[in-house]
Amino acid sequence: MLTAVFTVDPTAIDGALLQRAAAVLLSGGLVAFPTETVYGLGANALDARAVRGIFAAKERPAYDPLIVHLADVGDLGRVARDIPPLVSDLAAHFWPGPLTLVLPRCAAIPLEVTAGGETVAVRVPAHPVAQALIRAAGVPVAAPSANRFGRLSPTCAADVLADLDGRIEVLLDGGPTVVGVESTVLSLVGEPVILRPGGVSREALEAILGPVVVSERPVLPTEDLPASPGLLLQHYAPRAPLILYQGTPAAMRAALASAASLHQQSQVRVGLLLADEDLPFFAGLDLLVETAGSAADLETVARRLFSALRALDAAGAEVILARDFGVTGLGLAIRDRLTRAAGGHVVEAPPV
Ligand code: TXA
Ligand code: MG
């Protein structure tokens, strides 16, 4: 199949183009589109066969459920039931936006979407192109991130094509995404639990809900995996193995510098993922370096995180050594993604 790329200006949306993309969705096809977090790979959430197409295009295992996207909180009753009263509070604060709520599923939502479960994950994305697409289609849109299973989420159209060109009918190119990490997934089945930290911080949720638990998400190790290509893909990562360093800024810099020089001695091409303020400490060294922004500006770090990792891959890094950005605000989501990219390979840098 040929993937048609439609360039859409989010500030002046071409209604005719969006109608064409919506028609593809309604005929059972797949349309990748920008959201404020990352690009999504959309199908009509009410069409089980179309939803199976998402899993095939992504090579995603059927046990991993999808998020259903709505244009408006008013449509929530089409996908979820037994909606607790606090949803209206959360929706008022965070929708449209990077918050996904897990609720009991309506029968109209096929089990393909929910991976056989009785709950459904729902969000109202804030991106104008996502909004326009869902409105034009007039149906809820199931969409995981538009990457092959196990790889980094795409934050621009080129990232989507790198993984899915020829596997999807349409890609709406609305430019780079702004949040850069995926939505926060909050379960409201029972006590509220953050299943995945993301674009809405724990602190912002706690301002409304009071203390919220963050569930431990299992991390698949990148090492010691059986030599099956399918399993090796599951580390959700850049191609190069990644090691995450945690500690004070001085401790992280010292540990990164000594690890980098050890790797260099064994002729391994090292890529470093740093913060802007780390740069002076690594000046003049023959290393591949990317900064995602200042550690004091986590919005920028989140926005640039995945593209910085992709850039290190593209530059030929054979190992990526990354610094940590703490757990305050977006730091928690950044740490979660880096820990996953590292397959749990996290080093506590000794104090200096
Ligand atoms: O920002 C985002 O959330 C992006 C954009 C495209 O909306 N989507 C995204 O989808 O990241 P995906 O499929 O890559 O991640 C969805 C996450 C997975 O961790 C999945 O296990 C979880 O949400 N999830 C989906 N349905 C669930 C359910 N019913 N119960 C618990 N977790 C669920
Ligand atoms: Mg994903």
Side-chain angles (χ1 to χ4, degrees):
M1 134 191 354
L2 214 63
T3 299
V5 181
F6 299 164
T7 303
V8 188
D9 177 352
T11 63
I13 289 176
D14 179 337
L17 267 187
L18 266 287
Q19 286 298 337
R20 282 172 63 191
V24 169
L25 280 183
L26 291 175
S27 69
L30 302 180
V31 176
F33 60 96
T35 81
E36 74 280 30
T37 58
V38 300
Y39 273 71
L41 172 54
N44 176 357
L46 306 177
D47 178 345
R49 211 174 66 88
V51 170
R52 284 198 291 273
I54 291 179
F55 287 88
K58 277 188 65 113
E59 298 173 29
R60 178 176 171 123
Y63 59 73
D64 199 4
L66 305 179
I67 296 173
V68 175
H69 297 69
L70 304 174
D72 195 279
V73 60
D75 293 330
L76 191 56
R78 292 178 73 182
V79 305
R81 60 182 169 78
D82 302 337
I83 297 162
L86 65 85
V87 166
S88 45
D89 256 11
L90 291 169
H93 279 90
F94 302 113
W95 280 354
L99 177 66
T100 294
L101 300 178
V102 175
L103 293 164
R105 149 188 98 97
C106 273
I109 298 300
L111 290 169
E112 278 80 356
V113 172
T114 67
E118 286 307 321
T119 61
V120 62
V122 195
R123 85 177 186 99
V124 179
H127 198 288
V129 175
Q131 287 263 338
L133 177 68
I134 302 164
R135 270 184 219 289
V139 293
V141 174
S145 51
N147 51 283
R148 294 230 205 145
F149 183 69
R151 304 218 53 84
L152 297 169
S153 291
T155 54
C156 66
D159 295 347
V160 177
L161 284 179
D163 274 13
L164 298 176
D165 195 11
R167 293 171 171 239
I168 58 177
E169 278 81 1
V170 173
L171 163 60
L172 296 175
D173 180 355
T177 62
V178 289
V179 177
V181 292
E182 304 86 343
S183 63
T184 301
V185 179
L186 179 72
S187 172
L188 295 178
V189 181
E191 281 303 294
V193 177
I194 295 174
L195 300 178
R196 175 179 74 181
V200 168
S201 70
R202 175 188 197 163
E203 294 88 334
L205 289 174
E206 290 188 331
I208 293 168
L209 300 172
V212 180
V213 173
V214 182
S215 83
E216 286 291 322
R217 296 210 294 154
V219 176
L220 281 162
T222 51
E223 290 166 12
D224 308 323
L225 282 180
S228 147
L231 286 175
L232 286 173
L233 280 176
Q234 292 184 16
H235 64 127
Y236 179 84
R239 281 172 226 282
L242 185 146
I243 306 168
L244 174 62
Y245 288 79
Q246 294 179 353
T248 64
M252 288 191 289
R253 285 170 196 142
L256 286 166
S258 70
S261 93
L262 275 178
H263 282 292
Q264 274 187 315
Q265 280 164 29
S266 33
Q267 314 294 319
V268 174
R269 194 105 173 90
V270 180
L272 290 179
L273 177 77
L274 301 175
D276 290 349
E277 12 341 345
D278 301 328
L279 284 176
F281 298 88
F282 295 86
L285 299 177
D286 179 29
L287 299 164
L288 301 167
V289 171
E290 285 286 327
T291 78
S294 163
D297 175 9
L298 294 179
E299 286 188 11
T300 299
V301 174
R303 181 165 63 244
R304 292 177 18 195
L305 181 68
F306 293 152
S307 61
L309 293 175
R310 283 174 189 262
L312 290 171
D313 260 346
E318 292 167 305
V319 63
I320 297 174
L321 310 178
R323 71 162 271 164
D324 179 54
F325 292 85
V327 292
T328 305
L330 287 172
L332 191 64
I334 294 165
R335 176 179 285 186
D336 174 82
R337 303 311 186 269
L338 287 173
T339 303
R340 258 150 233 296
H345 197 159
V346 179
V347 175
E348 189 60 44
V352 287

